[in-house]
Amino acid sequence: MKRLLPRLILTMLGAFLIAGCGSQPSEQSPIVTVANETAAMTRLRAIAEAEQSYLAETGKYATLEELMQRGMVGDPSKGKLSGYKFEVVATAKGFQAVAVPEEYGVTGKRSFYIDQSNTMRGKDRKGERASAADPVV
């Protein structure tokens, strides 16, 4: 009986671990979520800096694709910490860049916004886009 109990415990533990390996977590570790959010904000700041350089060189603002083509920013959705979708809208008077979690609650919770004012804004928008009306972060 003494030998049976440790084997039973190990068997149950192994079955529990194997069963858990195939399932997808419904929520990311809070540490990874914060890291993804920090990386998204850093990438948005890099986009804002690239927009200022592009404006100085060309007299207009650029789309994300134009910034990447000129090598002014890398693809912000690549890298170890990503989990965010990025979008840049350029107009004659400015730009708006947003970052939204790819999978709300798993890859991030807050959405972020930055424009030509260089003020980072963000809020938990349940996976929707952030805007200029959101609080400064």
Side-chain angles (χ1 to χ4, degrees):
M1 185 70 175
K2 285 183 179 181
R3 291 183 185 173
L4 185 58
L5 187 59
R7 282 187 182 176
L8 181 61
I9 291 172
L10 286 174
T11 302
M12 289 173 51
L13 181 60
F16 176 74
L17 289 174
I18 290 170
C21 287
S23 65
Q24 196 68 6
S26 61
E27 200 165 303
Q28 185 73 271
S29 158
I31 293 171
V32 174
T33 299
V34 168
N36 282 345
E37 290 180 352
T38 301
M41 287 188 290
T42 300
R43 289 179 174 120
L44 280 179
R45 289 197 192 285
I47 290 169
E49 287 179 25
E51 286 286 1
Q52 295 306 316
S53 295
Y54 192 90
L55 177 65
E57 290 176 18
T58 67
K60 63 180 187 169
Y61 291 98
T63 65
L64 181 56
E65 291 76 23
E66 290 170 324
L67 294 174
M68 290 187 320
Q69 285 173 352
R70 291 189 80 170
M72 299 178 99
V73 294
D75 186 344
S77 63
K78 303 292 184 205
K80 288 186 178 186
L81 297 171
S82 58
Y84 272 77
K85 296 178 280 188
F86 295 84
E87 182 182 327
V88 177
V89 176
T91 67
K93 296 183 179 184
F95 73 94
Q96 296 102 32
V98 295
V100 178
E102 286 179 352
E103 190 175 345
Y104 174 75
V106 176
T107 60
K109 290 190 175 182
R110 293 186 296 169
S111 295
F112 301 100
Y113 171 96
I114 197 166
D115 61 19
Q116 65 280 351
S117 71
N118 206 28
T119 302
M120 181 71 64
R121 298 180 178 277
K123 184 176 181 179
D124 183 343
R125 293 210 152 265
K126 310 288 187 235
E128 298 298 317
R129 293 171 47 129
S131 73
D134 288 330
V136 174
V137 291

